[in-house]
Amino acid sequence: MIPLGVNVPNFGAGATVGALLEWARFAEDDGFATLVVSDHVVPTPEVTALYPDPFHDPFVLLAWLAGQTSRVRLGTSVIVLPYRHPLHTARMSAMLDLMSGGRFVLGVGAGWAATEFAALGADHAARGEVTDRYLDLITAAWARDRVTADLPGLPITDAATGPRPAGGSLPVWAGGASPRAIRRAARWASAWHPINPPYEWLRDRGVPALRAAAAGLGRPVPDLIVRIKARLQPTTGGPGRPLGVGTLAEVVEDVAALEQLGASEVILDANPDTPRPRDFAAERRHLVEIAQAYAAR
């Protein structure tokens, strides 16, 4: 049996301080291994159509939750790496890891919302290349006292890197399912973190591509940590249903299938992918049902 994590909704009118604290205590008390939150910096209408505002900053939120918890691992699924200066990201991550007692995981991705990139003055077309370059500098900053880099628009000369992570480095989960994202995971990450991948694609193309990329780099194959839906319904999802959507038995079998594929953890996400109000209590009940049924299988 592999551990299960939970994606906590850090957006929308219902995501109050009290509700977020309830989610953290739920994850801690009900035995979930990891609590992750998502990232948007300037939620444009393109973003809020799926993720209603307000959208709480993941670093600030997780730093607060670190003081409200003692066991559960805290992470991002995922921050959009091109949105922030890489040395700022490295520093915030290292500080959060130190303040949480080594419980922080940095999940990263290249992003998707073109209007949000434009609002931030970031280059949407170059987001893959920028993500790779930033990740290279971030991992260097965790390992060195000072760094020098010549990034486009960011000339960095002998810059102090700030505090080191508790363990000298940090676990990195690289999101995304493109060939470039898979190569990124093989090059820099401790885990590949695809979000809502189709199972057949993951089995037949994604995992083989990850293994091939790692072999080409002469590196160990990263762990596989998948985020899937956690959407229980009374009737079967039928052919082609997304992972995590269906009856309780179907969702438990989805988790078991990912375990058989080699996943080291599965993150459950109850987000309905609509801007409608959410019933957090019902979502947590479903998460517990899935976890208990998976443990009992």
Side-chain angles (χ1 to χ4, degrees):
M1 189 175 74
I2 58 175
L4 301 178
V6 57
N7 187 52
V8 169
N10 57 318
F11 53 86
T16 62
V17 170
L20 290 164
L21 183 56
E22 285 181 7
W23 273 106
R25 289 177 174 164
F26 162 75
E28 175 109 335
D29 295 342
D30 283 74
F32 289 92
T34 309
L35 177 163
V36 298
V37 296
S38 304
D39 181 38
H40 282 286
V41 174
V42 183
T44 59
E46 179 184 21
V47 173
T48 57
L50 289 175
Y51 308 108
D53 62 332
F55 209 108
H56 300 292
D57 180 84
F59 288 103
V60 175
L61 173 58
L62 292 176
W64 174 60
L65 292 181
Q68 308 292 330
T69 57
S70 60
R71 179 198 59 80
V72 70
R73 187 162 57 169
L74 307 167
T76 54
S77 177
V78 292
I79 66 158
V80 184
L81 214 58
Y83 285 174
R84 300 171 178 84
H85 193 291
L87 292 185
H88 190 200
T89 299
R91 188 183 301 268
M92 288 191 295
S93 300
M95 291 184 67
L96 211 164
D97 189 59
L98 287 168
M99 292 175 178
S100 66
R103 291 186 286 138
F104 181 62
V105 176
L106 181 67
V108 302
W112 57 273
T115 53
E116 190 171 24
F117 272 82
L120 289 162
D123 189 344
H124 181 262
R127 64 193 185 279
E129 179 181 357
V130 169
T131 298
D132 290 347
R133 290 180 175 178
Y134 281 14
L135 192 52
D136 195 36
L137 182 58
I138 287 166
T139 52
W142 291 336
R144 306 174 193 166
D145 292 331
R146 310 189 81 82
V147 293
T148 295
D150 187 16
L151 301 178
L154 294 177
I156 299 167
T157 303
D158 199 30
T161 55
R164 297 280 183 85
S169 187
L170 278 176
V172 172
W173 295 0
S178 68
R180 182 165 201 151
I182 292 172
R183 291 194 299 270
R184 179 180 305 127
R187 171 65 181 85
W188 285 287
S190 54
W192 179 37
H193 182 51
I195 297 173
N196 300 324
Y199 178 76
E200 291 77 11
W201 176 88
L202 189 65
R203 178 193 62 201
D204 299 336
R205 297 178 58 189
V207 170
L210 180 68
R211 291 171 178 161
L217 291 166
R219 298 176 62 85
V221 180
D223 288 344
L224 175 64
I225 299 178
V226 187
R227 194 176 104 193
I228 67 171
K229 301 295 183 188
R231 194 176 303 163
L232 297 183
Q233 55 191 38
T235 58
T236 179
R241 65 181 178 82
L243 285 170
V245 178
T247 64
L248 177 60
E250 286 176 323
V251 174
V252 169
E253 283 307 309
D254 289 340
V255 177
L258 291 170
E259 177 185 358
Q260 289 296 313
L261 192 58
S264 60
E265 184 173 351
V266 171
I267 305 296
L268 300 174
D269 180 9
N271 178 22
D273 289 333
T274 70
R276 68 173 184 263
R278 297 172 62 171
D279 185 343
F280 290 158
E283 291 177 10
R284 288 194 286 267
R285 285 197 303 271
H286 289 170
L287 291 167
V288 170
E289 289 176 25
I290 294 167
Q292 291 178 342
Y294 171 60
R297 59 181 280 277

